[in-house]
Amino acid sequence: MSIPAGAIPVSAIPVGSIDDLTPGEGRAYVVDGKQVAVFLLADGTVRAMDAVCPHKGGPLADGQIDGSVVMCPLHQYTFSLDTGACPSGIDSVRTYPAAVVDGKVTIQV
């Protein structure tokens, strides 16, 4: 999602340039002391979620995304990019509102 600069929520934290992200891949950032995985989707929107899988601590930013889910690279558990839910019965991960503002990715934690 791209929003005008004047509409930036007060709690939005810029984490980096959109140019640092590759469509279909993730990147991990530390935001307000939390590890957050950010994904750039094929439609140009971004999603953000906890960067660590609750199962065995896999790096979700290194996982493959398939449309609306990311797959943990360690044990192939999938998590919804929109809700963080895992249909396989393990704990969900937290998702965070993310947007692109003036070429910068912002996250609300």
Side-chain angles (χ1 to χ4, degrees):
M1 167 171 39
S2 183
I3 59 176
I8 301 172
V10 174
S11 60
I13 299 170
V15 296
S17 171
I18 189 69
D19 295 333
D20 294 340
L21 299 175
T22 301
E25 295 183 5
R27 185 175 183 128
Y29 296 93
V30 176
V31 182
D32 201 25
K34 300 175 185 179
Q35 292 185 42
V36 178
V38 178
F39 300 91
L40 174 61
L41 305 187
D43 65 2
T45 60
V46 290
R47 302 289 187 278
M49 64 174 38
D50 289 335
V52 179
C53 177
H55 176 237
K56 294 286 184 180
L60 293 180
D62 294 341
Q64 293 184 345
I65 64 171
D66 182 14
S68 61
V69 298
V70 59
M71 180 184 297
C72 178
L74 294 186
H75 298 101
Q76 289 74 50
Y77 285 106
T78 59
F79 299 90
S80 166
L81 291 167
D82 290 322
T83 67
C86 177
S88 300
I90 65 170
D91 290 342
S92 299
V93 294
R94 185 172 176 187
T95 58
Y96 304 93
V100 178
V101 180
D102 291 338
K104 298 198 181 319
V105 177
T106 63
I107 300 171
Q108 295 178 61
V109 294

